Amino acid sequence: MEIKQVGVLGAGTMGAGIAQVFAEAGLKVMLVDIDSNMLQAALGKIKKSWQKAVEKGKIDDAVKAAREALLECSGDMSGFKDCDLVVEAIVEEIGVKQKVFQAMADICQEQAILATNTSALSITEIAAATQRADRILGMHFFNPVTVMKLVEVIPGLETSMSTTEAVVELVKRIGKEPVITKEAPGFLVNRILNPLVNEAALVYQEGMASAEEIDKAMKLGAGLPMGPLALADLVGLDVVLKVTEYLFKEFGESKYRPALVLKQKVRAGHLGVKTGKGFYDYK
Ligand code: CAA
Ligand code: NAD
């Protein structure tokens, strides 16, 4: 099955980037969000990035115009009816994801593939809300989407081999590297990375050092491209907390217990880069 037209549900941190990389690969993209401000912000961010690419001489005006023509935005999902694949990138809550998968299964053609960008949740549980579990899987992009090469491909219990193969092929077509992983909380990367970020939050909470010093130490001492607290701010502290809570709940081991400071910051609405304040200030 060749995927030519795609949908992206959610125009936040991840959805905007996912829509951008699809359009850059020449796919027709329908980007949908219930919040028109988020849609406008995503479109602005994507166009700015393409304008920057023109100024740097990486692409010319014609390529920019062609990409823009491929990208359509909407406040409702009806346009998904023409899509071969839809990637969901909305809030990390199982009940909300199940509801939108039910709605998407009603709108989309029978053969369409529905993918979730969930950071940690069960693909099988999301798919169980629909009658097409064989055409549902995890397609997990990393932040920032335009830069990070990996896409984890996660079949659920009932995902068909042809669905997984079609998505692996697509991942390669958009210039990313697929890694197929079995379903388990946090999959591969977040199972390993999230406890590191949570541990950094615990160290911060204990007052061992400032956020700047913790990040500096981990960059210079452990060779990380960015410090774990700056990374938490980039990901969104709400997302980090959701993933940590889910790992803690599913594995039942104290090593996954979320740091209190993470909960406090999320309760205060300090979600990191996207709200202008997290472990650092961005305004
Ligand atoms: N959004 C979009 N593009 C960005 C960006 C951002 N937030 N930050 C940097 N970039 C782009 C820059 O524009 C630049 O692109 P060009 O070369 O086209 O100009 C390129 O990235 C390199 O930028 P810099 O030289 O300024 O920065 P850098 O070399 O320090 O790299 C980084 C920045 C790629 C973010 C790097 O610090 C890094 O790899 N950080 C770790 C990221 C990471 O671990 N991501 C995974 C998070 S976990 C996740 O995503 C899963 C989940 O479910 C939560
Ligand atoms: P975000 O908060 O930046 O954006 C979510 C968007 O979804 C918002 O624009 C919101 O308006 C929209 N939305 C919410 N409910 C909707 C609905 N019913 N219909 C349409 N739009 C709706 O979130 P994000 O950080 O982009 O995360 C999205 C998903 O991707 C989550 O499952 C998250 O765990 C996962 N993820 C996040 C990261 C990251 O670094 N932030 C990385 C990989 C995966």
Side-chain angles (χ1 to χ4, degrees):
M1 172 191 179
E2 206 202 333
I3 295 166
K4 293 184 187 135
Q5 196 160 332
V6 296
V8 179
L9 184 68
T13 309
M14 296 304 288
I18 295 168
Q20 178 171 344
V21 295
F22 279 144
E24 287 176 4
L27 290 140
K28 206 164 172 233
V29 188
M30 167 66 72
L31 177 61
V32 175
D33 201 293
I34 41 171
D35 183 338
S36 60
N37 292 327
M38 292 302 288
L39 267 181
Q40 283 318 308
L43 196 57
K45 197 172 131 191
I46 295 169
K47 285 186 175 176
K48 199 169 148 194
S49 168
W50 290 338
Q51 182 56 37
K52 213 175 98 185
V54 169
E55 283 158 17
K56 282 185 171 175
K58 289 184 176 173
I59 59 169
D60 60 23
D61 283 322
V63 170
K64 177 173 169 270
R67 287 177 178 178
E68 285 179 4
L70 287 170
L71 183 59
E72 205 180 321
C73 291
S74 175
D76 75 75
M77 295 198 281
S78 57
F80 286 167
K81 68 180 187 323
D82 300 319
C83 295
D84 306 306
L85 169 124
V86 179
V87 182
E88 165 275 318
I90 65 167
V91 63
E92 186 77 344
E93 274 179 34
I94 188 72
V96 183
K97 289 201 192 283
Q98 285 186 319
K99 266 201 191 117
V100 303
F101 270 77
Q102 275 167 357
M104 291 194 301
D106 285 344
I107 293 166
C108 296
Q109 293 169 43
E110 212 179 307
Q111 73 276 16
I113 295 173
L114 307 181
T116 173
N117 187 50
T118 179
S119 296
L121 300 173
S122 164
I123 309 304
T124 302
E125 198 173 357
I126 294 170
T130 74
Q131 301 298 318
R132 61 164 85 195
D134 57 322
R135 275 150 295 146
I136 289 176
L137 81 176
M139 190 177 183
H140 187 207
F141 289 84
F142 290 81
N143 187 8
V145 180
T146 49
V147 183
M148 305 307 283
K149 280 284 180 201
L150 178 69
V151 178
E152 286 179 323
V153 178
I154 312 117
L157 192 64
E158 295 185 68
T159 309
S160 69
M161 188 71 90
S162 61
T163 299
T164 304
E165 282 168 358
V167 169
V168 163
E169 197 48 49
L170 179 69
V171 170
K172 290 179 185 163
R173 191 139 64 90
I174 63 174
K176 304 276 186 202
E177 289 286 339
V179 168
I180 301 175
T181 169
K182 283 187 187 163
E183 174 177 89
F187 318 123
L188 285 181
V189 174
N190 283 338
R191 167 90 171 266
I192 298 166
L193 185 60
N194 211 80
L196 186 148
V197 170
N198 190 47
E199 197 64 32
L202 285 165
V203 163
Y204 173 85
Q205 187 177 300
E206 286 172 21
M208 285 181 68
S210 67
E212 287 84 355
E213 286 163 333
I214 293 166
D215 279 351
K216 180 179 171 187
M218 290 306 288
K219 279 198 291 184
L220 300 185
L224 298 183
M226 72 196 292
L229 298 176
L231 179 61
D233 277 358
L234 176 70
V235 165
L237 302 190
D238 52 339
V239 174
V240 173
L241 180 60
K242 289 264 185 218
V243 174
T244 314
E245 284 173 340
Y246 189 68
L247 293 174
F248 185 44
K249 177 174 140 268
E250 289 288 310
F251 290 115
E253 290 177 35
S254 59
K255 67 176 178 177
Y256 297 113
R257 189 191 308 279
L260 177 62
V261 68
L262 270 178
K263 292 186 184 178
Q264 283 177 316
K265 286 187 184 291
V266 171
R267 287 169 184 159
H270 300 160
L271 308 183
V273 176
K274 66 184 164 188
T275 59
K277 197 175 168 70
F279 285 102
Y280 296 91
D281 284 335
Y282 298 90
K283 279 175 183 160

